[in-house]
Amino acid sequence: DVKVTQSSRYLVKRTGEKVFLECVQDMDHENMFWYRQDPGLGLRLIYFSYDVKMKEKGDIPEGYSVSREKKERFSLILESASTNQTSMYLCASGTGVYEQYFGPGTRLTVT
Amino acid sequence: RKEVEQDPGPFNVPEGATVAFNCTYSNSASQSFFWYRQDCRKEPKLLMSVYSSGNEDGRFTAQLNRASQYISLLIRDSKLSDSATYLCVVATGNQFYFGTGTSLTVIP
């Protein structure tokens, strides 16, 4: 079974803090993705990565950065958290145009 | 224009009913198509892939119409456990595009 894990299920941070969200997959997938999901807006792609040390901007990269130092790990960084970044963050991994597998999500609240 | 559009519902149907969801996509070069299921406060999980020839998995049937650029999901004999949000997903290259989801509630 494919397993994608995320470092936290729930996180509460203060405005201005630097926030790290970690994602690890165990299926040797080349591609990894970070999405955020908000009511009425669906899943929106923040960043994705095709390979180690490679990254591509998605639809809403502003305020975020990513790091992929190892194939199995993809980190999302909120440089200075703001209240409009309160959301559910979902990591996914996959290969090519085949299905993506999601982690359980991190519900982030920024106060 | 959005890459993927689907009716958000909600669909409220009695147990045993048949319900169908449709989804349209804008890029004719799209290569792969999926339906995902998402339960409340959980991550999306793959329900089924959608092939040009259509495919069936038990009570679920998915179809793809490339000419009209839409995909559909049919659920027969609805169960209470089918209550969830169903996401239409279209892949173009390495990018995946998600619909906003259609909410289904099956009522006893």
Side-chain angles (χ1 to χ4, degrees), chain B residues 82-93:
Chain B
D82 293 334
S83 297
T85 296
Y86 292 83
L87 303 172
C88 164
V89 185
V90 174
T92 307

Side-chain angles (χ1 to χ4, degrees), chain A residues 4-91:
Chain A
V4 181
T5 57
Q6 295 183 227
S7 48
S8 306
R9 292 299 302 273
Y10 299 95
L11 210 51
V12 179
K13 294 292 181 181
R14 293 190 182 275
T15 301
E17 279 193 81
K18 191 167 186 176
V19 182
F20 293 87
L21 302 182
E22 302 281 337
C23 175
V24 178
Q25 51 97 2
D26 67 357
M27 279 303 290
D28 202 35
H29 287 156
E30 291 90 6
N31 302 336
M32 296 188 75
F33 306 81
W34 274 106
Y35 298 92
R36 63 177 283 178
Q37 186 174 31
D38 301 286
L41 296 176
L43 273 85
R44 293 181 290 167
L45 181 64
I46 304 171
Y47 267 96
F48 57 103
S49 170
Y50 295 147
D51 203 348
V52 175
K53 296 195 187 293
M54 291 184 65
K55 59 185 179 184
E56 297 283 344
K57 291 181 180 179
D59 299 319
I60 51 164
E62 297 79 20
Y64 304 94
S65 62
V66 290
S67 172
R68 193 161 180 206
E69 296 296 317
K70 293 184 177 182
K71 190 174 186 179
E72 67 271 18
R73 189 180 296 270
F74 193 34
S75 303
L76 179 70
I77 303 145
L78 285 67
E79 297 291 341
S80 176
S82 63
T83 54
N84 62 13
Q85 292 178 309
T86 292
S87 186
M88 168 72 104
Y89 289 88
L90 288 157
C91 173

Side-chain angles (χ1 to χ4, degrees), chain B residues 2 6-7 14 16 18-19 24 51 55 61 66 81 88 97-98 100 104 107:
Chain B
K2 287 185 181 178
Q6 60 180 126
D7 182 349
T18 295
V19 61
T24 58
Y51 305 115
N55 48 305
T61 300
R66 283 193 181 272
S81 58
C88 164
Y97 299 94
F98 289 78
T100 52
L104 172 66
I107 304 163

Side-chain angles (χ1 to χ4, degrees), chain A residues 31 33 35 37 40-43 45 48 50 90 96-100 102-104 107, chain B residues 31-32 34 36 38 41-44 46 49 87 91-96 98-100:
Chain A
N31 302 336
F33 306 81
Y35 298 92
Q37 186 174 31
L41 296 176
L43 273 85
L45 181 64
F48 57 103
Y50 295 147
L90 288 157
V97 294
Y98 300 103
E99 62 267 24
Q100 293 188 359
F102 285 85
R107 192 166 293 277
Chain B
Q31 297 156 283
S32 300
F34 310 92
Y36 276 71
Q38 187 173 23
R41 303 180 83 82
K42 298 283 186 110
E43 74 272 25
L46 180 68
S49 302
L87 303 172
T92 307
N94 275 308
Q95 289 236 40
F96 283 65
F98 289 78
T100 52

